[in-house]
């Protein structure tokens, strides 16, 4: 999922559903999205017509992945960009569906 998670109201439910489609033992969920900062929070408060959480912190994604049963969690910083005058930072998170699930 690329730059969509921060638009989802029920992120844990969606994560759980996506994991069900992964092949046990080899299936991987990759999420690329915004790292929450004061800039992303301020920008997304203005966009009230679309769901926004302003990004995520590593511990939030780790917890979601663990609750969904994913293992081998990793998080990497992808880079900094500017979007319509707002500085943003992005991450990529990875988790694997274990063979015994």
């Amino acid at each position: 999922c690329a730059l969509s998670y921060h638009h989802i109201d029920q992120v844990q439910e969606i994560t759980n559903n996506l994991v069900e489609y992964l092949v046990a033992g080899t299936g991987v969920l990759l999420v690329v999205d915004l790292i929450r900062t004061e800039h992303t929070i301020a920008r997304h408060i203005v966009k009230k017509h679309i769901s926004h959480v302003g990004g995520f912190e590593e511990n939030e994604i780790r917890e979601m992945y663990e609750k969904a049963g994913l293992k081998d969690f990793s998080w990497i910083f992808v880079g900094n960009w500017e979007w319509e005058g707002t500085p943003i930072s992005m991450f990529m998170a990875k988790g694997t569906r274990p063979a015994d699930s």
Side-chain angles (χ1 to χ4, degrees), residues 2-43:
L3 294 174
S4 59
Y5 257 39
H6 70 278
H7 291 283
I8 300 170
D9 287 326
Q10 302 296 326
V11 183
Q12 184 65 60
E13 184 178 333
I14 294 300
T15 302
N16 296 346
N17 290 338
L18 290 171
V19 169
E20 291 298 315
Y21 289 97
L22 300 177
V23 175
T26 60
V28 172
L29 178 61
L30 294 174
V31 170
V32 176
D33 214 304
L34 304 175
I35 296 172
R36 183 179 300 127
T37 67
E38 66 277 2
H39 300 292
T40 61
I41 291 170
R43 174 166 184 82

